[in-house]
Amino acid sequence: MIPRSRCTAMDADDALQALRDQFALPAGVIYLDGNSLGARPKNALDRARQVVEAEWGDDLIRSWNKAGWFDLPARLGAKLAPLIGASADEVVVTDSTSVNLFKALAAALRQQEEMRPQENRRTIVTERANFPTDVYIAQGLASWLDRGYEIRLVDSHDELPQVIDEKTAVVMLTHVNYRTGRMHDMAGVTALAHSRGALMLWDLAHSAGAVPVDLNGADADFAVGCTYKYLNGGPGAPAFIWVPARHQAAFRQPLSGWWSHASPFTMQPRFEPIEGIRRALCGTQPITSLALVECGLDIFMQTSMEAIRAKSLALTDLFIELVETRCSRHPLELVTPREHAQRGSQVSFAHPHGYAVMQALIERGVIGDYREPHIMRFGFTPLYTSFTDVWDAVETLADILDRKQYDPDARRDAVT
Ligand SMILES: *Cc1c(COP(=O)(O)O)cnc(C)c1O
């Protein structure tokens, strides 16, 4: 078995270890849930105070100009862009992932109809195992449009080549699955969709800040994603939407609020979309929350996604190896792919008492989370997770399992 001393040596060699100090992590906690809610950058507190006290309190309405509030969605989008292989003028940080999905999917369906009006493409292909909101948004939009759109749910990645066909309007997939941590081949699936005439919409909720993403390199059509997970933007922080330069002129989304108007302060009665990525906006943003997104992004600016990926794979490899050696007597089943090319930055293990075991872990300061059915999720965030954390977390898991220190009848909280 790998000794703990080897992990402390790996930490000493780790160039990212220095960034951990920029996060406020409570003592006694090993945080393996940055895939659900990223840890707080220390300077988020000062930034929040500045926004509330100085920008709102002292400068009041003048801050829309003076503090750059009005431009914040585009300015933060430009900062986020390099993390996902986008150009600076192709991303805005705004609204929620669910709302951005609605806008992007609606725009994609419309663009498809305009490009190929004769083809009557009416299916939206996605996965049954996709995060529910993605499927619900597609179902809601399709039924609301009432134009014959159908959702085609595939059960495995292998089905995509059969299912994507000449009736497919849009393929809408989440790059890294929230439950299994399995990652799609973005360039490969995008090329497949394009070869059948379909548009490709990616959800990067578990990718942005977790794995290198190259949207333009993959020639993708649209993308959305979260900032409160791996990007450490804060609870409920606004999400992002990407529309590549080549699609911006044709891009029309149904939430045509005044922030996407060509001249919002002329107060015209007629809607006319602004040029460029701002046409993906809708209305006034939650500035206090939006401003904090920058604190997380500023930490990413100090390293590269390649360095983050290298450490992420080393952390997840180590975790898998330690669990499989240290807990081999227990009915744990690895759900996440072993192949690096198919793995995001989380590891999931199924256990018949997964919920109860996770509750016991959390009580002992090892915070992961639980997803049906039976799945314990562990997220690995290279900016603030150390190799020693991994070793200690597995030691705690082994102890809980060896001594059956969990309550199989544990009552479920509303949020698991
Ligand atoms: C986390 C997540 C979301 C969250 O959507 P919200 O609108 O922020 O609630 C959406 N899609 C996927 C794939 C996610 O992982």
Side-chain angles (χ1 to χ4, degrees), residues 378-406:
F378 301 90
F380 296 86
T381 44
L383 295 179
Y384 54 82
T385 303
S386 69
F387 294 98
T388 316
D389 284 340
V390 172
W391 200 95
D392 292 343
V394 176
E395 204 51 26
T396 307
L397 174 64
D399 185 57
I400 288 168
L401 292 173
D402 288 347
R403 300 196 297 129
K404 268 201 173 342
Q405 298 279 302
Y406 56 87

Side-chain angles (χ1 to χ4, degrees), residues 96-98 130-131 133-134 174 178 203 205-206 226 228-229:
S96 66
T97 303
S98 301
N130 201 343
F131 189 81
T133 207
D134 298 50
T174 297
Y178 76 101
D203 185 332
H206 289 271
C226 258
Y228 56 74
K229 294 172 179 166

Side-chain angles (χ1 to χ4, degrees), residues 75-104:
R75 199 167 63 72
L76 294 180
K79 221 172 208 185
L80 195 157
L83 302 180
I84 55 171
S87 301
D89 55 359
E90 295 178 333
V91 186
V92 276
V93 179
T94 185
D95 299 334
S96 66
T97 303
S98 301
V99 170
N100 287 334
L101 266 169
F102 178 83
K103 294 185 288 193

Side-chain angles (χ1 to χ4, degrees), residues 14 29 37 52 113 125 136 156 180 191 205 238 416:
D14 170 24
V29 162
L37 174 63
V52 172
E113 282 192 35
V125 173
Y136 300 161
S156 92
T180 63
T416 61

Side-chain angles (χ1 to χ4, degrees), residues 124-128 130 134-135 138 151-155 160 170-174:
I124 300 164
V125 173
T126 189
E127 285 180 281
R128 195 179 307 280
N130 201 343
D134 298 50
V135 182
I151 318 297
R152 229 3 244 285
L153 298 176
V154 302
D155 287 300
L160 290 171
V170 177
V171 180
M172 181 190 84
L173 294 173
T174 297

